[in-house]
Amino acid sequence: MNVYKTELNRRVCLQSRGSAIAKIVGANVAQNPKFDNTVKMWVFEETVNGQKLTEIINTTHENVKYLPGHRLPANVLAVPDLLEASSDADILVFVIPHQFIGKVCDTIKGKVKSDALGISLIKGVDEGPDGLKLISDIIQEKLGITMSVLMGANIANEVADEKFCETTIGEPDHCHFRNKNHGALLKELMQTNNFRVTVVEECDVVEICGALKNIVAVGAGFCDGLGFGDNTKAAVIRLGLMEMIAFARIFCTAGPVSSATFLESCGVADLITTCYGGRNRRVAEAFVKTGKSIEDLEREMLNGQKLQGPATAAEVYLILKHKNLVDKFPLFNAVYQICFQGHPVTEFISCLQNHPEHM
């Protein structure tokens, strides 16, 4: 029986989510002989109360800064050196802000196993020479490894509290991948009684859902800050979902885009959760009420974490501009214009009023 060593990569800004996944993976591999018992978790080193964060985690088995109050399994080992953490891994799990993925991949390029399997939990997109560039594609091209993605309605604290939720693994739709049965292996690695995993083949659609829902959540936060009610937020969610589907149908070229994928946890469930409970919504509401910049609110409200919605809106704007499609996506464009071009936030409602009925 093959032995698979699991690897969790995460950086300061997403340590809450990385630690929540580490808790699941650590518990699963301890009970499954298919996997090596030790889970190496890369931690961007910093000092907390005069002590190195990795030392705190390895001594107390708790990420006291980014996921306090939740005990990690003893077999999760915090490692401050990225190469040490990743070089002998057969499975690499990427949980970092998408802005840093290029630097991380450049650091470990040529130093990881060529037949390693990667899975990305990173919610973002990038601009490429032909428009859209998925984060999983960037990792695959730089490292030469097979990539899957995991996206869903998975708020870190609730996952760590073992409250029931669902998630979606997207695997590439090609025979080489399916013959290795990687989707089933990753499901075995991730699934618990309270963390239910569904595997679908539309990897690109699953990943795009995870990125775009953060833009919509910023719009939902604008509505909350402006004092609009649940009816308005429901409209934001519906119109945002329409734009997500339209965007996927334009830019997902691997095959036909199925509406069914948007009914998975990666789609409508993640969108609803983020529009009601996520940090993108919360910071966007504060943006309206305080008049402070997004950067200032990040520092004040997120304890070192990063906000993905505005950054993704900027990247999506450039992608749409490249294709001369900005006017086709009024909600996405409004979020970008308000966050980066100084447009009044009150203009957001007009984008809803003038939104096309069909896309």
Side-chain angles (χ1 to χ4, degrees):
M1 184 174 289
N2 291 333
V3 174
Y4 296 88
K5 293 184 178 179
T6 58
E7 162 65 26
L8 283 163
N9 286 332
R10 60 187 178 78
R11 200 173 176 93
V12 169
C13 302
L14 283 181
Q15 288 214 14
S16 60
R17 192 162 180 244
S19 294
I21 294 298
K23 182 179 178 183
I24 289 174
V25 172
N28 280 351
V29 302
Q31 302 173 26
N32 191 330
K34 284 186 180 181
F35 302 99
D36 186 87
N37 184 66
T38 300
V39 177
K40 294 181 180 178
M41 179 172 68
W42 175 53
V43 175
F44 187 80
E45 192 70 277
E46 59 184 304
T47 301
V48 178
N49 297 326
Q51 190 175 0
K52 292 180 179 178
L53 182 57
T54 53
E55 294 178 355
I56 297 173
I57 293 173
N58 291 334
T59 302
T60 67
H61 305 294
E62 180 183 353
N63 190 334
V64 295
K65 181 168 184 180
Y66 296 102
L67 197 66
H70 297 281
R71 186 173 177 82
L72 299 176
N75 62 329
V76 174
L77 178 66
V79 178
D81 183 88
L82 179 56
L83 290 176
E84 178 187 346
S86 60
S87 60
D88 66 345
D90 293 299
I91 301 177
L92 298 103
V93 182
F94 295 85
V95 196
I96 60 176
H98 74 277
Q99 299 95 323
F100 301 124
I101 193 60
K103 182 177 180 180
V104 166
C105 287
D106 288 342
T107 300
I108 64 176
K109 184 177 181 179
K111 307 292 176 57
V112 298
K113 293 182 177 181
S114 60
D115 61 348
L117 172 63
I119 182 166
S120 172
L121 282 66
I122 301 170
K123 298 188 176 183
V125 294
D126 203 353
E127 183 193 16
D130 299 318
L132 178 72
K133 192 75 170 178
L134 297 174
I135 302 302
S136 63
D137 287 340
I138 294 173
I139 299 171
Q140 185 165 349
E141 290 172 8
K142 284 183 174 287
L143 302 184
I145 63 175
T146 301
M147 288 297 301
S148 298
V149 300
L150 183 149
M151 306 284 161
N154 310 139
I155 294 176
N157 284 322
E158 295 184 16
V159 172
D161 282 335
E162 300 182 19
K163 295 177 179 177
F164 178 79
C165 65
E166 297 179 309
T167 197
T168 310
I169 289 178
E171 62 176 14
D173 182 16
H174 57 80
C175 293
H176 172 71
F177 187 91
R178 290 201 303 272
N179 285 346
K180 284 197 171 185
N181 207 22
H182 288 161
L185 175 67
L186 292 171
K187 180 174 181 175
E188 200 170 348
L189 177 67
M190 298 287 187
Q191 181 162 269
T192 71
N193 288 337
N194 291 312
F195 192 71
R196 185 162 65 190
V197 176
T198 301
V199 180
V200 301
E201 291 182 353
E202 289 185 307
C203 184
D204 50 357
V205 178
V206 171
E207 186 167 0
I208 281 177
C209 283
L212 298 183
K213 57 94 180 182
N214 284 327
I215 304 177
V216 184
V218 173
F222 290 161
C223 288
D224 289 341
L226 291 167
F228 290 92
D230 287 338
N231 290 343
T232 306
K233 187 180 286 188
V236 170
I237 292 172
R238 189 189 75 84
L239 296 172
L241 181 61
M242 285 176 59
E243 293 196 12
M244 289 167 60
I245 295 171
F247 189 96
R249 287 179 171 162
I250 292 170
F251 291 100
C252 291
T253 58
V257 173
S258 169
S259 298
T261 302
F262 292 91
L263 298 179
E264 298 289 347
S265 183
C266 63
V268 66
D270 198 7
L271 178 61
I272 292 170
T273 298
T274 308
C275 286
Y276 277 91
R279 60 179 175 265
N280 287 280
R281 186 220 61 81
R282 185 161 48 93
V283 173
E285 180 182 15
F287 175 82
V288 177
K289 290 183 175 180
T290 67
K292 295 180 179 179
S293 69
I294 294 292
E295 293 79 6
D296 287 342
L297 291 169
E298 275 185 336
R299 286 191 292 270
E300 292 177 13
M301 299 176 65
L302 299 185
N303 192 32
Q305 298 181 30
K306 273 289 184 183
L307 204 63
Q308 296 300 304
T312 303
E315 286 148 358
V316 164
Y317 174 81
L318 293 175
I319 292 166
L320 293 173
K321 185 178 180 182
H322 179 75
K323 296 288 189 181
N324 197 28
L325 292 171
V326 171
D327 291 342
K328 300 289 186 181
F329 295 85
L331 191 153
F332 291 171
N333 183 39
V335 171
Y336 166 75
Q337 297 293 340
I338 292 165
C339 288
F340 295 101
Q341 299 299 317
H343 285 213
V345 72
T346 50
E347 289 186 3
F348 183 71
I349 298 303
S350 66
C351 96
L352 306 182
Q353 295 167 337
N354 299 319
H355 203 283
E357 293 184 11
H358 304 285
M359 297 191 71

